[in-house]
Amino acid sequence: MTAYYDLDSMPVMSVGLIIAMPLRQWGLIDACMDNDASVETVDGSLQRADLARSIRRTGWDQIAHWTPGVPASGKWPPPDEIVKPKLTLAQWLLTVDVLERWAATGVRVGHHDTAAQERELLDLIMSRLQAHGIHVPPERR
């Protein structure tokens, strides 16, 4: 099982970091965060679940232009459109951890195509974080 980040010891980055990607890749992040928040709410860390939900809400707000209580808000762009989610460092580091977790789970249950997509996205995010001078230890992967 993946060793999870200790959210209490994460460095805080109040400004966001944008990592551009096609919407179909953001959709993987959204789905993995949904899974992770569900699992962690039932049998894990409520802090991790809350952070996962905050990542989903950020995507809804920034990409789908979702407005709570406003009917017909929240339309996703086409799957090939490049989106530019802006997350904090803690959110991006959790994204890395969650993609690792669910890619490993996908391999275990035979969902190799989805796991490969999650690993490809993980590599993209890792390279962008490194390009911004953010070091994620190799043992995290």
Side-chain angles (χ1 to χ4, degrees):
M1 177 56 82
T2 303
Y4 302 118
Y5 286 105
D6 177 3
L7 298 177
D8 291 326
S9 67
M10 277 190 196
V12 175
M13 182 168 106
S14 59
V15 297
L17 174 66
I18 295 171
I19 298 180
M21 65 189 70
L23 178 66
R24 81 171 36 84
Q25 287 183 318
W26 179 261
L28 282 173
I29 291 173
D30 185 73
C32 287
M33 290 300 156
D34 186 30
N35 292 341
D36 212 69
S38 295
V39 168
E40 293 297 324
T41 296
V42 171
D43 191 26
S45 165
L46 292 179
Q47 182 182 10
R48 181 180 168 104
D50 288 344
L51 188 58
R53 282 190 286 275
S54 79
I55 293 167
R56 295 189 76 209
R57 277 191 307 275
T58 298
W60 299 339
D61 295 347
Q62 292 176 10
I63 298 166
H65 307 290
W66 176 72
T67 306
V70 176
S73 71
K75 303 254 189 247
W76 292 105
D80 290 330
E81 185 168 316
I82 300 299
V83 297
K84 298 176 181 178
K86 182 178 183 181
L87 302 178
T88 66
L89 179 56
Q91 288 174 319
W92 280 122
L93 291 176
L94 181 64
T95 300
V96 165
D97 204 50
V98 166
L99 287 169
E100 285 178 331
R101 179 185 201 177
W102 294 102
T105 300
V107 168
R108 277 195 310 277
V109 300
H111 296 164
H112 299 287
D113 290 342
T114 302
Q117 292 170 4
E118 290 162 350
R119 291 200 190 280
E120 178 183 327
L121 179 53
L122 176 60
D123 290 342
L124 168 78
I125 293 168
M126 293 290 294
S127 71
R128 301 284 169 75
L129 289 174
Q130 290 169 352
H132 286 280
I134 300 165
H135 176 71
V136 179
E139 64 271 11
R140 300 300 313 146
R141 307 261 341 265

